[in-house]
Structures are given as structure tokens and as C-alpha cells.
Amino acid sequence: MLCAALTAAVALVSPARYDYVIVGGGTAGSVLANRLSADSSKQVLVLEPGPSPRGSLKVAAPVALTKLFHSKWDWGFETTPTEGTANRPVHLCRGKCLGGSSATNALLYHRGTRADFDSWGLEGWGSEEMLESFLAVEAQRDLPSGKYHAADGPVGVEDSRYFNP
């Protein structure tokens, strides 16, 4: 079903041939498209099913985060109810727009934990390999570059500007 939808979407745009098709215009898709399109001989297509957040006050104001839940900006995903959540589902805000979840989740950035990556046991996906990937895209504004942070990547990262004592 997804392949048919992608094929139909690609047929609507030109040129008719692409070297790369990226599904999702969130942070990862945008960084990947930027890197791949640096080679001007390559044709890159980014498909994003949601709208552009440009001009939307709800998306621009982090205080409106919950107003985006179950809206045109959100995929509406929920967890399966469990005993640990009092048998209630938990909403997972996943952005359905250009910018993806970065546009709809108050711009929270989290890499994941070492144990998560290492527990997968997949070649190339361990914590050390993933750290290299994170460093390649990170532009940390508040911490010095070093073993765990970099300042030269395309994705801006900074500490929260507001702390509630």
C-alpha cells in the first residue's frame, strides 16, 4: 500500500527520475536531503504528507503543544494501554508537517541511551557508531566541542533557555 502511494506521489512531480526519495520532511529527512543534494548531479525528492508549518501560530508557540495533538499537525499515535499507565494509552506527539516532530514537540532533542543502541546487537548501530553520527549533525551552542558534542553540524542544539526554579 505504501509503495503504491509513494509511486503515485512521485509521478505527480518532475523530473520523472530521482536518485533518492526521502519519506518525511522532519529533521532527519531534511538533514539527509541537504547532504545528498550537495552533489548537484543527483536528484533528491522529499515527500512529506503534512502541511508546511510556516505562518502557524500553534506550531510556532511551544505553549500550544497540546493543541497540536490529534490535529492535522500530528499523526495521532498512542501507546498500548498498560498496567504502568493505569490502563490508559499515552499520546506520542509525532509531527506530520515539514519539520516533523521538531516542529511540534517544543523542539526537544534526545539522542537515546548507550544501553539502547548496544542492546540491539546490530553491526554499525552500536553506541560508538551512533555517537559519530550524532556528532556529524549536531551544532551544540552551549557546550564545547569534544568527545560528546560538536558545533559544526546542520542541526542546532542548545540547552533550555528557561528554567523554572
Side-chain angles (χ1 to χ4, degrees):
M1 182 78 155
L2 181 58
C3 284
L6 287 176
T7 302
V10 171
L12 294 175
V13 293
S14 63
R17 185 188 160 283
Y18 294 92
D19 297 292
Y20 303 100
V21 176
I22 300 169
V23 179
T27 302
S30 297
V31 168
L32 182 58
N34 182 54
R35 293 245 169 126
L36 293 173
S37 64
D39 179 348
S40 62
S41 71
K42 301 296 183 191
Q43 294 291 320
V44 179
L45 173 66
V46 178
L47 295 175
E48 171 56 54
S52 169
R54 186 177 302 264
S56 169
L57 188 56
K58 281 185 182 177
V59 174
V63 72
L65 172 65
T66 59
K67 300 286 187 195
L68 302 175
F69 294 178
H70 304 288
S71 72
K72 71 179 183 178
W73 307 104
D74 179 49
W75 284 100
F77 294 149
E78 293 183 336
T79 64
T80 300
T82 66
E83 190 176 310
T85 61
N87 293 315
R88 294 177 302 191
V90 175
H91 180 75
L92 298 173
C93 184
R94 304 303 304 157
K96 184 179 178 182
C97 61
L98 286 174
S101 297
S102 291
T104 62
N105 71 3
L107 300 174
L108 300 176
Y109 174 81
H110 179 70
R111 294 178 178 172
T113 66
R114 237 178 144 58
D116 287 338
F117 295 114
D118 291 340
S119 71
W120 295 343
L122 298 172
E123 187 176 332
W125 288 86
S127 60
E128 289 302 315
E129 294 94 343
M130 292 307 299
L131 178 58
E132 289 178 32
S133 297
F134 289 124
L135 293 176
V137 300
E138 184 179 279
Q140 173 55 259
R141 295 184 178 121
D142 298 317
L143 299 170
S145 292
K147 183 176 179 183
Y148 297 108
H149 298 286
D152 300 325
V155 178
V157 179
E158 63 186 64
D159 289 346
S160 177
R161 295 178 187 179
Y162 173 76
F163 293 95
N164 184 341

